Amino acid sequence: MLSLSLFLATACAAWFAGAAAYVTLVEHPARMACGTRTAATVWAPSYQRATPMQASLALVACLSGLAGWWLGGGSAWLGGAILIGAVVPFTFAAIMPVNRQLLAPGRDLDAPDTLQLLQRWGRLHAVRTVLGLLASAL
């Protein structure tokens, strides 16, 4: 059971980190280079498709890491579980308000505040990437 927990924690944390890094380093900068309207238009379906995957990976990695620690895997597994688990409350507290504003009906996709929200979202998502990478490293 310990080996399975540690494998799941490692695999899910690494998959989360890889997906988050791709979004932070490739996808979001590419869409931002296309102008605010296009970036906002493309961001919405990308966000809606990525959310279930990334949330599931973070939760499975956290729970598996906690199980691995509980079953005797060592304190690094607890640290990794806490780091990847921190993604969830961070997302709800910091990123979801931005998401709601970007997805608000009637939003002017050409407005300067839309650009600012997209830029802020990119910075906040980078925090998720760092948490995922640190968790994977542990």
Side-chain angles (χ1 to χ4, degrees), residues 43-82:
W43 174 86
S46 178
Y47 157 74
Q48 290 169 342
R49 290 184 64 106
T51 297
M53 181 191 76
Q54 288 197 302
S56 298
L57 289 170
L59 288 172
V60 171
C62 178
L63 294 174
S64 298
L66 289 172
W69 165 73
W70 182 259
L71 294 169
S75 60
W77 292 100
L78 176 61
I82 290 169

PDB file of all heavy atoms in Angstrom, residues 43-82:
ATOM      1  N   TRP A  43      -8.998  31.786 -23.540  1.00  0.00           N
ATOM      2  CA  TRP A  43      -8.760  31.436 -22.142  1.00  0.00           C
ATOM      3  C   TRP A  43      -9.946  30.668 -21.552  1.00  0.00           C
ATOM      4  O   TRP A  43      -9.749  29.665 -20.851  1.00  0.00           O
ATOM      5  CB  TRP A  43      -8.490  32.703 -21.313  1.00  0.00           C
ATOM      6  CG  TRP A  43      -8.391  32.411 -19.850  1.00  0.00           C
ATOM      7  CD1 TRP A  43      -7.274  32.016 -19.179  1.00  0.00           C
ATOM      8  CD2 TRP A  43      -9.456  32.430 -18.898  1.00  0.00           C
ATOM      9  NE1 TRP A  43      -7.592  31.800 -17.851  1.00  0.00           N
ATOM     10  CE2 TRP A  43      -8.915  32.049 -17.659  1.00  0.00           C
ATOM     11  CE3 TRP A  43     -10.810  32.744 -18.978  1.00  0.00           C
ATOM     12  CZ2 TRP A  43      -9.681  31.967 -16.502  1.00  0.00           C
ATOM     13  CZ3 TRP A  43     -11.581  32.663 -17.831  1.00  0.00           C
ATOM     14  CH2 TRP A  43     -11.024  32.283 -16.601  1.00  0.00           C
ATOM     15  N   ALA A  44     -11.165  31.107 -21.828  1.00  0.00           N
ATOM     16  CA  ALA A  44     -12.347  30.514 -21.192  1.00  0.00           C
ATOM     17  C   ALA A  44     -12.480  29.013 -21.455  1.00  0.00           C
ATOM     18  O   ALA A  44     -12.586  28.232 -20.497  1.00  0.00           O
ATOM     19  CB  ALA A  44     -13.611  31.264 -21.605  1.00  0.00           C
ATOM     20  N   PRO A  45     -12.467  28.540 -22.696  1.00  0.00           N
ATOM     21  CA  PRO A  45     -12.598  27.090 -22.883  1.00  0.00           C
ATOM     22  C   PRO A  45     -11.375  26.318 -22.386  1.00  0.00           C
ATOM     23  O   PRO A  45     -11.498  25.177 -21.913  1.00  0.00           O
ATOM     24  CB  PRO A  45     -12.799  26.917 -24.393  1.00  0.00           C
ATOM     25  CG  PRO A  45     -12.372  28.187 -25.015  1.00  0.00           C
ATOM     26  CD  PRO A  45     -12.510  29.253 -23.967  1.00  0.00           C
ATOM     27  N   SER A  46     -10.215  26.920 -22.457  1.00  0.00           N
ATOM     28  CA  SER A  46      -9.013  26.266 -21.939  1.00  0.00           C
ATOM     29  C   SER A  46      -9.139  26.067 -20.428  1.00  0.00           C
ATOM     30  O   SER A  46      -8.859  24.982 -19.906  1.00  0.00           O
ATOM     31  CB  SER A  46      -7.786  27.108 -22.271  1.00  0.00           C
ATOM     32  OG  SER A  46      -6.626  26.531 -21.744  1.00  0.00           O
ATOM     33  N   TYR A  47      -9.566  27.106 -19.749  1.00  0.00           N
ATOM     34  CA  TYR A  47      -9.770  27.043 -18.300  1.00  0.00           C
ATOM     35  C   TYR A  47     -10.797  25.968 -17.950  1.00  0.00           C
ATOM     36  O   TYR A  47     -10.579  25.149 -17.055  1.00  0.00           O
ATOM     37  CB  TYR A  47     -10.212  28.415 -17.782  1.00  0.00           C
ATOM     38  CG  TYR A  47     -10.945  28.360 -16.476  1.00  0.00           C
ATOM     39  CD1 TYR A  47     -10.262  28.106 -15.288  1.00  0.00           C
ATOM     40  CD2 TYR A  47     -12.322  28.524 -16.420  1.00  0.00           C
ATOM     41  CE1 TYR A  47     -10.940  28.033 -14.083  1.00  0.00           C
ATOM     42  CE2 TYR A  47     -13.001  28.450 -15.222  1.00  0.00           C
ATOM     43  CZ  TYR A  47     -12.310  28.204 -14.055  1.00  0.00           C
ATOM     44  OH  TYR A  47     -12.984  28.118 -12.869  1.00  0.00           O
ATOM     45  N   GLN A  48     -11.896  25.943 -18.666  1.00  0.00           N
ATOM     46  CA  GLN A  48     -12.964  24.985 -18.358  1.00  0.00           C
ATOM     47  C   GLN A  48     -12.536  23.545 -18.612  1.00  0.00           C
ATOM     48  O   GLN A  48     -12.982  22.637 -17.909  1.00  0.00           O
ATOM     49  CB  GLN A  48     -14.227  25.347 -19.134  1.00  0.00           C
ATOM     50  CG  GLN A  48     -14.840  26.626 -18.599  1.00  0.00           C
ATOM     51  CD  GLN A  48     -15.938  27.216 -19.455  1.00  0.00           C
ATOM     52  OE1 GLN A  48     -16.065  26.896 -20.623  1.00  0.00           O
ATOM     53  NE2 GLN A  48     -16.723  28.093 -18.858  1.00  0.00           N
ATOM     54  N   ARG A  49     -11.676  23.322 -19.571  1.00  0.00           N
ATOM     55  CA  ARG A  49     -11.184  21.957 -19.836  1.00  0.00           C
ATOM     56  C   ARG A  49     -10.100  21.549 -18.841  1.00  0.00           C
ATOM     57  O   ARG A  49     -10.000  20.386 -18.466  1.00  0.00           O
ATOM     58  CB  ARG A  49     -10.658  21.862 -21.261  1.00  0.00           C
ATOM     59  CG  ARG A  49     -11.753  21.932 -22.313  1.00  0.00           C
ATOM     60  CD  ARG A  49     -11.178  21.747 -23.686  1.00  0.00           C
ATOM     61  NE  ARG A  49     -10.607  20.431 -23.839  1.00  0.00           N
ATOM     62  CZ  ARG A  49     -11.168  19.452 -24.540  1.00  0.00           C
ATOM     63  NH1 ARG A  49     -12.302  19.657 -25.150  1.00  0.00           N
ATOM     64  NH2 ARG A  49     -10.575  18.288 -24.637  1.00  0.00           N
ATOM     65  N   ALA A  50      -9.265  22.493 -18.442  1.00  0.00           N
ATOM     66  CA  ALA A  50      -8.134  22.169 -17.566  1.00  0.00           C
ATOM     67  C   ALA A  50      -8.541  22.004 -16.103  1.00  0.00           C
ATOM     68  O   ALA A  50      -7.907  21.229 -15.376  1.00  0.00           O
ATOM     69  CB  ALA A  50      -7.067  23.252 -17.678  1.00  0.00           C
ATOM     70  N   THR A  51      -9.583  22.690 -15.683  1.00  0.00           N
ATOM     71  CA  THR A  51      -9.960  22.686 -14.271  1.00  0.00           C
ATOM     72  C   THR A  51     -10.197  21.289 -13.700  1.00  0.00           C
ATOM     73  O   THR A  51      -9.603  20.948 -12.666  1.00  0.00           O
ATOM     74  CB  THR A  51     -11.175  23.597 -14.031  1.00  0.00           C
ATOM     75  OG1 THR A  51     -10.807  24.932 -14.363  1.00  0.00           O
ATOM     76  CG2 THR A  51     -11.635  23.550 -12.592  1.00  0.00           C
ATOM     77  N   PRO A  52     -11.034  20.465 -14.314  1.00  0.00           N
ATOM     78  CA  PRO A  52     -11.254  19.135 -13.715  1.00  0.00           C
ATOM     79  C   PRO A  52      -9.979  18.292 -13.647  1.00  0.00           C
ATOM     80  O   PRO A  52      -9.739  17.598 -12.651  1.00  0.00           O
ATOM     81  CB  PRO A  52     -12.285  18.473 -14.638  1.00  0.00           C
ATOM     82  CG  PRO A  52     -12.894  19.572 -15.427  1.00  0.00           C
ATOM     83  CD  PRO A  52     -11.876  20.674 -15.486  1.00  0.00           C
ATOM     84  N   MET A  53      -9.147  18.382 -14.672  1.00  0.00           N
ATOM     85  CA  MET A  53      -7.924  17.600 -14.684  1.00  0.00           C
ATOM     86  C   MET A  53      -6.975  18.065 -13.584  1.00  0.00           C
ATOM     87  O   MET A  53      -6.484  17.264 -12.781  1.00  0.00           O
ATOM     88  CB  MET A  53      -7.222  17.685 -16.032  1.00  0.00           C
ATOM     89  CG  MET A  53      -5.949  16.852 -16.085  1.00  0.00           C
ATOM     90  SD  MET A  53      -4.929  17.161 -17.521  1.00  0.00           S
ATOM     91  CE  MET A  53      -4.175  18.715 -17.095  1.00  0.00           C
ATOM     92  N   GLN A  54      -6.720  19.358 -13.529  1.00  0.00           N
ATOM     93  CA  GLN A  54      -5.742  19.848 -12.561  1.00  0.00           C
ATOM     94  C   GLN A  54      -6.243  19.704 -11.129  1.00  0.00           C
ATOM     95  O   GLN A  54      -5.471  19.353 -10.242  1.00  0.00           O
ATOM     96  CB  GLN A  54      -5.347  21.283 -12.878  1.00  0.00           C
ATOM     97  CG  GLN A  54      -4.467  21.363 -14.116  1.00  0.00           C
ATOM     98  CD  GLN A  54      -3.733  22.680 -14.206  1.00  0.00           C
ATOM     99  OE1 GLN A  54      -4.350  23.729 -14.228  1.00  0.00           O
ATOM    100  NE2 GLN A  54      -2.429  22.602 -14.259  1.00  0.00           N
ATOM    101  N   ALA A  55      -7.520  19.944 -10.899  1.00  0.00           N
ATOM    102  CA  ALA A  55      -8.061  19.781  -9.551  1.00  0.00           C
ATOM    103  C   ALA A  55      -7.956  18.333  -9.100  1.00  0.00           C
ATOM    104  O   ALA A  55      -7.539  18.047  -7.964  1.00  0.00           O
ATOM    105  CB  ALA A  55      -9.511  20.255  -9.505  1.00  0.00           C
ATOM    106  N   SER A  56      -8.303  17.408  -9.981  1.00  0.00           N
ATOM    107  CA  SER A  56      -8.224  15.982  -9.644  1.00  0.00           C
ATOM    108  C   SER A  56      -6.792  15.559  -9.350  1.00  0.00           C
ATOM    109  O   SER A  56      -6.534  14.834  -8.379  1.00  0.00           O
ATOM    110  CB  SER A  56      -8.773  15.131 -10.792  1.00  0.00           C
ATOM    111  OG  SER A  56     -10.119  15.427 -11.021  1.00  0.00           O
ATOM    112  N   LEU A  57      -5.874  16.002 -10.185  1.00  0.00           N
ATOM    113  CA  LEU A  57      -4.470  15.642  -9.968  1.00  0.00           C
ATOM    114  C   LEU A  57      -3.947  16.174  -8.637  1.00  0.00           C
ATOM    115  O   LEU A  57      -3.248  15.469  -7.903  1.00  0.00           O
ATOM    116  CB  LEU A  57      -3.602  16.146 -11.117  1.00  0.00           C
ATOM    117  CG  LEU A  57      -3.770  15.427 -12.442  1.00  0.00           C
ATOM    118  CD1 LEU A  57      -3.044  16.180 -13.560  1.00  0.00           C
ATOM    119  CD2 LEU A  57      -3.274  13.991 -12.346  1.00  0.00           C
ATOM    120  N   ALA A  58      -4.276  17.413  -8.323  1.00  0.00           N
ATOM    121  CA  ALA A  58      -3.816  18.006  -7.061  1.00  0.00           C
ATOM    122  C   ALA A  58      -4.397  17.261  -5.863  1.00  0.00           C
ATOM    123  O   ALA A  58      -3.678  16.964  -4.895  1.00  0.00           O
ATOM    124  CB  ALA A  58      -4.186  19.487  -7.003  1.00  0.00           C
ATOM    125  N   LEU A  59      -5.679  16.935  -5.928  1.00  0.00           N
ATOM    126  CA  LEU A  59      -6.305  16.237  -4.802  1.00  0.00           C
ATOM    127  C   LEU A  59      -5.767  14.813  -4.635  1.00  0.00           C
ATOM    128  O   LEU A  59      -5.469  14.386  -3.517  1.00  0.00           O
ATOM    129  CB  LEU A  59      -7.821  16.223  -4.978  1.00  0.00           C
ATOM    130  CG  LEU A  59      -8.503  17.575  -4.769  1.00  0.00           C
ATOM    131  CD1 LEU A  59      -9.970  17.505  -5.151  1.00  0.00           C
ATOM    132  CD2 LEU A  59      -8.339  18.052  -3.329  1.00  0.00           C
ATOM    133  N   VAL A  60      -5.621  14.089  -5.734  1.00  0.00           N
ATOM    134  CA  VAL A  60      -5.092  12.723  -5.644  1.00  0.00           C
ATOM    135  C   VAL A  60      -3.645  12.755  -5.155  1.00  0.00           C
ATOM    136  O   VAL A  60      -3.247  11.942  -4.306  1.00  0.00           O
ATOM    137  CB  VAL A  60      -5.226  11.977  -6.991  1.00  0.00           C
ATOM    138  CG1 VAL A  60      -4.473  10.646  -6.956  1.00  0.00           C
ATOM    139  CG2 VAL A  60      -6.690  11.752  -7.329  1.00  0.00           C
ATOM    140  N   ALA A  61      -2.853  13.691  -5.660  1.00  0.00           N
ATOM    141  CA  ALA A  61      -1.462  13.802  -5.213  1.00  0.00           C
ATOM    142  C   ALA A  61      -1.392  14.114  -3.725  1.00  0.00           C
ATOM    143  O   ALA A  61      -0.599  13.515  -2.993  1.00  0.00           O
ATOM    144  CB  ALA A  61      -0.727  14.874  -6.012  1.00  0.00           C
ATOM    145  N   CYS A  62      -2.235  15.028  -3.263  1.00  0.00           N
ATOM    146  CA  CYS A  62      -2.244  15.398  -1.846  1.00  0.00           C
ATOM    147  C   CYS A  62      -2.656  14.217  -0.973  1.00  0.00           C
ATOM    148  O   CYS A  62      -1.968  13.877  -0.012  1.00  0.00           O
ATOM    149  CB  CYS A  62      -3.182  16.582  -1.627  1.00  0.00           C
ATOM    150  SG  CYS A  62      -3.318  17.079   0.104  1.00  0.00           S
ATOM    151  N   LEU A  63      -3.770  13.596  -1.309  1.00  0.00           N
ATOM    152  CA  LEU A  63      -4.263  12.480  -0.498  1.00  0.00           C
ATOM    153  C   LEU A  63      -3.303  11.292  -0.524  1.00  0.00           C
ATOM    154  O   LEU A  63      -3.065  10.658   0.508  1.00  0.00           O
ATOM    155  CB  LEU A  63      -5.657  12.069  -0.969  1.00  0.00           C
ATOM    156  CG  LEU A  63      -6.756  13.114  -0.742  1.00  0.00           C
ATOM    157  CD1 LEU A  63      -8.067  12.661  -1.374  1.00  0.00           C
ATOM    158  CD2 LEU A  63      -6.927  13.428   0.739  1.00  0.00           C
ATOM    159  N   SER A  64      -2.727  11.021  -1.682  1.00  0.00           N
ATOM    160  CA  SER A  64      -1.766   9.928  -1.778  1.00  0.00           C
ATOM    161  C   SER A  64      -0.494  10.247  -0.999  1.00  0.00           C
ATOM    162  O   SER A  64       0.093   9.364  -0.359  1.00  0.00           O
ATOM    163  CB  SER A  64      -1.411   9.648  -3.239  1.00  0.00           C
ATOM    164  OG  SER A  64      -2.551   9.241  -3.948  1.00  0.00           O
ATOM    165  N   GLY A  65      -0.053  11.493  -1.066  1.00  0.00           N
ATOM    166  CA  GLY A  65       1.123  11.896  -0.291  1.00  0.00           C
ATOM    167  C   GLY A  65       0.881  11.799   1.206  1.00  0.00           C
ATOM    168  O   GLY A  65       1.749  11.345   1.958  1.00  0.00           O
ATOM    169  N   LEU A  66      -0.317  12.206   1.633  1.00  0.00           N
ATOM    170  CA  LEU A  66      -0.661  12.074   3.056  1.00  0.00           C
ATOM    171  C   LEU A  66      -0.705  10.603   3.467  1.00  0.00           C
ATOM    172  O   LEU A  66      -0.210  10.239   4.539  1.00  0.00           O
ATOM    173  CB  LEU A  66      -2.011  12.745   3.341  1.00  0.00           C
ATOM    174  CG  LEU A  66      -2.027  14.266   3.292  1.00  0.00           C
ATOM    175  CD1 LEU A  66      -3.459  14.788   3.399  1.00  0.00           C
ATOM    176  CD2 LEU A  66      -1.144  14.860   4.382  1.00  0.00           C
ATOM    177  N   ALA A  67      -1.285   9.776   2.612  1.00  0.00           N
ATOM    178  CA  ALA A  67      -1.336   8.345   2.906  1.00  0.00           C
ATOM    179  C   ALA A  67       0.076   7.763   2.966  1.00  0.00           C
ATOM    180  O   ALA A  67       0.389   6.966   3.867  1.00  0.00           O
ATOM    181  CB  ALA A  67      -2.167   7.621   1.848  1.00  0.00           C
ATOM    182  N   GLY A  68       0.929   8.171   2.035  1.00  0.00           N
ATOM    183  CA  GLY A  68       2.306   7.692   2.040  1.00  0.00           C
ATOM    184  C   GLY A  68       3.040   8.091   3.301  1.00  0.00           C
ATOM    185  O   GLY A  68       3.781   7.292   3.888  1.00  0.00           O
ATOM    186  N   TRP A  69       2.828   9.312   3.740  1.00  0.00           N
ATOM    187  CA  TRP A  69       3.444   9.767   4.990  1.00  0.00           C
ATOM    188  C   TRP A  69       2.890   8.962   6.157  1.00  0.00           C
ATOM    189  O   TRP A  69       3.649   8.471   6.997  1.00  0.00           O
ATOM    190  CB  TRP A  69       3.177  11.258   5.171  1.00  0.00           C
ATOM    191  CG  TRP A  69       3.443  11.741   6.557  1.00  0.00           C
ATOM    192  CD1 TRP A  69       4.664  11.915   7.147  1.00  0.00           C
ATOM    193  CD2 TRP A  69       2.469  12.073   7.544  1.00  0.00           C
ATOM    194  NE1 TRP A  69       4.516  12.349   8.434  1.00  0.00           N
ATOM    195  CE2 TRP A  69       3.168  12.455   8.703  1.00  0.00           C
ATOM    196  CE3 TRP A  69       1.084  12.096   7.568  1.00  0.00           C
ATOM    197  CZ2 TRP A  69       2.512  12.847   9.874  1.00  0.00           C
ATOM    198  CZ3 TRP A  69       0.438  12.494   8.721  1.00  0.00           C
ATOM    199  CH2 TRP A  69       1.145  12.860   9.854  1.00  0.00           C
ATOM    200  N   TRP A  70       1.579   8.805   6.211  1.00  0.00           N
ATOM    201  CA  TRP A  70       0.918   8.085   7.304  1.00  0.00           C
ATOM    202  C   TRP A  70       1.404   6.630   7.379  1.00  0.00           C
ATOM    203  O   TRP A  70       1.552   6.074   8.467  1.00  0.00           O
ATOM    204  CB  TRP A  70      -0.590   8.138   7.097  1.00  0.00           C
ATOM    205  CG  TRP A  70      -1.377   7.465   8.181  1.00  0.00           C
ATOM    206  CD1 TRP A  70      -1.938   6.223   8.140  1.00  0.00           C
ATOM    207  CD2 TRP A  70      -1.672   7.988   9.465  1.00  0.00           C
ATOM    208  NE1 TRP A  70      -2.561   5.934   9.321  1.00  0.00           N
ATOM    209  CE2 TRP A  70      -2.416   7.021  10.168  1.00  0.00           C
ATOM    210  CE3 TRP A  70      -1.381   9.190  10.102  1.00  0.00           C
ATOM    211  CZ2 TRP A  70      -2.869   7.199  11.458  1.00  0.00           C
ATOM    212  CZ3 TRP A  70      -1.841   9.379  11.398  1.00  0.00           C
ATOM    213  CH2 TRP A  70      -2.575   8.398  12.062  1.00  0.00           C
ATOM    214  N   LEU A  71       1.654   6.051   6.220  1.00  0.00           N
ATOM    215  CA  LEU A  71       2.079   4.652   6.167  1.00  0.00           C
ATOM    216  C   LEU A  71       3.587   4.473   6.374  1.00  0.00           C
ATOM    217  O   LEU A  71       4.108   3.375   6.250  1.00  0.00           O
ATOM    218  CB  LEU A  71       1.667   4.028   4.825  1.00  0.00           C
ATOM    219  CG  LEU A  71       0.160   3.896   4.606  1.00  0.00           C
ATOM    220  CD1 LEU A  71      -0.149   3.521   3.165  1.00  0.00           C
ATOM    221  CD2 LEU A  71      -0.440   2.884   5.579  1.00  0.00           C
ATOM    222  N   GLY A  72       4.285   5.565   6.670  1.00  0.00           N
ATOM    223  CA  GLY A  72       5.693   5.464   7.015  1.00  0.00           C
ATOM    224  C   GLY A  72       6.665   5.932   5.954  1.00  0.00           C
ATOM    225  O   GLY A  72       7.850   5.629   6.031  1.00  0.00           O
ATOM    226  N   GLY A  73       6.182   6.688   4.982  1.00  0.00           N
ATOM    227  CA  GLY A  73       7.048   7.137   3.905  1.00  0.00           C
ATOM    228  C   GLY A  73       8.032   8.231   4.277  1.00  0.00           C
ATOM    229  O   GLY A  73       8.952   8.512   3.541  1.00  0.00           O
ATOM    230  N   GLY A  74       7.829   8.887   5.395  1.00  0.00           N
ATOM    231  CA  GLY A  74       8.751   9.947   5.822  1.00  0.00           C
ATOM    232  C   GLY A  74       8.147  11.328   5.699  1.00  0.00           C
ATOM    233  O   GLY A  74       7.130  11.549   5.028  1.00  0.00           O
ATOM    234  N   SER A  75       8.793  12.280   6.348  1.00  0.00           N
ATOM    235  CA  SER A  75       8.254  13.632   6.447  1.00  0.00           C
ATOM    236  C   SER A  75       8.271  14.400   5.128  1.00  0.00           C
ATOM    237  O   SER A  75       7.483  15.323   4.946  1.00  0.00           O
ATOM    238  CB  SER A  75       8.990  14.426   7.522  1.00  0.00           C
ATOM    239  OG  SER A  75      10.370  14.513   7.205  1.00  0.00           O
ATOM    240  N   ALA A  76       9.144  14.036   4.197  1.00  0.00           N
ATOM    241  CA  ALA A  76       9.152  14.720   2.895  1.00  0.00           C
ATOM    242  C   ALA A  76       7.818  14.520   2.181  1.00  0.00           C
ATOM    243  O   ALA A  76       7.354  15.409   1.465  1.00  0.00           O
ATOM    244  CB  ALA A  76      10.302  14.228   2.031  1.00  0.00           C
ATOM    245  N   TRP A  77       7.200  13.359   2.384  1.00  0.00           N
ATOM    246  CA  TRP A  77       5.903  13.096   1.749  1.00  0.00           C
ATOM    247  C   TRP A  77       4.828  13.994   2.330  1.00  0.00           C
ATOM    248  O   TRP A  77       3.935  14.441   1.610  1.00  0.00           O
ATOM    249  CB  TRP A  77       5.538  11.617   1.886  1.00  0.00           C
ATOM    250  CG  TRP A  77       6.469  10.795   1.071  1.00  0.00           C
ATOM    251  CD1 TRP A  77       7.558  10.097   1.515  1.00  0.00           C
ATOM    252  CD2 TRP A  77       6.449  10.644  -0.341  1.00  0.00           C
ATOM    253  NE1 TRP A  77       8.207   9.514   0.459  1.00  0.00           N
ATOM    254  CE2 TRP A  77       7.539   9.824  -0.691  1.00  0.00           C
ATOM    255  CE3 TRP A  77       5.611  11.105  -1.348  1.00  0.00           C
ATOM    256  CZ2 TRP A  77       7.821   9.469  -2.014  1.00  0.00           C
ATOM    257  CZ3 TRP A  77       5.882  10.751  -2.655  1.00  0.00           C
ATOM    258  CH2 TRP A  77       6.971   9.945  -2.980  1.00  0.00           C
ATOM    259  N   LEU A  78       4.909  14.272   3.613  1.00  0.00           N
ATOM    260  CA  LEU A  78       3.971  15.210   4.230  1.00  0.00           C
ATOM    261  C   LEU A  78       4.178  16.605   3.648  1.00  0.00           C
ATOM    262  O   LEU A  78       3.216  17.292   3.294  1.00  0.00           O
ATOM    263  CB  LEU A  78       4.150  15.226   5.752  1.00  0.00           C
ATOM    264  CG  LEU A  78       3.289  16.249   6.510  1.00  0.00           C
ATOM    265  CD1 LEU A  78       1.800  15.962   6.298  1.00  0.00           C
ATOM    266  CD2 LEU A  78       3.645  16.218   7.998  1.00  0.00           C
ATOM    267  N   GLY A  79       5.439  17.015   3.530  1.00  0.00           N
ATOM    268  CA  GLY A  79       5.729  18.330   2.944  1.00  0.00           C
ATOM    269  C   GLY A  79       5.226  18.444   1.518  1.00  0.00           C
ATOM    270  O   GLY A  79       4.619  19.457   1.140  1.00  0.00           O
ATOM    271  N   GLY A  80       5.470  17.426   0.715  1.00  0.00           N
ATOM    272  CA  GLY A  80       4.979  17.434  -0.660  1.00  0.00           C
ATOM    273  C   GLY A  80       3.468  17.473  -0.724  1.00  0.00           C
ATOM    274  O   GLY A  80       2.884  18.188  -1.548  1.00  0.00           O
ATOM    275  N   ALA A  81       2.812  16.705   0.154  1.00  0.00           N
ATOM    276  CA  ALA A  81       1.347  16.689   0.191  1.00  0.00           C
ATOM    277  C   ALA A  81       0.798  18.063   0.566  1.00  0.00           C
ATOM    278  O   ALA A  81      -0.191  18.527  -0.019  1.00  0.00           O
ATOM    279  CB  ALA A  81       0.858  15.631   1.169  1.00  0.00           C
ATOM    280  N   ILE A  82       1.438  18.713   1.511  1.00  0.00           N
ATOM    281  CA  ILE A  82       0.991  20.051   1.918  1.00  0.00           C
ATOM    282  C   ILE A  82       1.169  21.047   0.777  1.00  0.00           C
ATOM    283  O   ILE A  82       0.285  21.857   0.497  1.00  0.00           O
ATOM    284  CB  ILE A  82       1.735  20.510   3.198  1.00  0.00           C
ATOM    285  CG1 ILE A  82       1.257  19.672   4.393  1.00  0.00           C
ATOM    286  CG2 ILE A  82       1.532  22.002   3.444  1.00  0.00           C
ATOM    287  CD1 ILE A  82       2.094  19.844   5.644  1.00  0.00           C
TER     288      ILE A  82
END
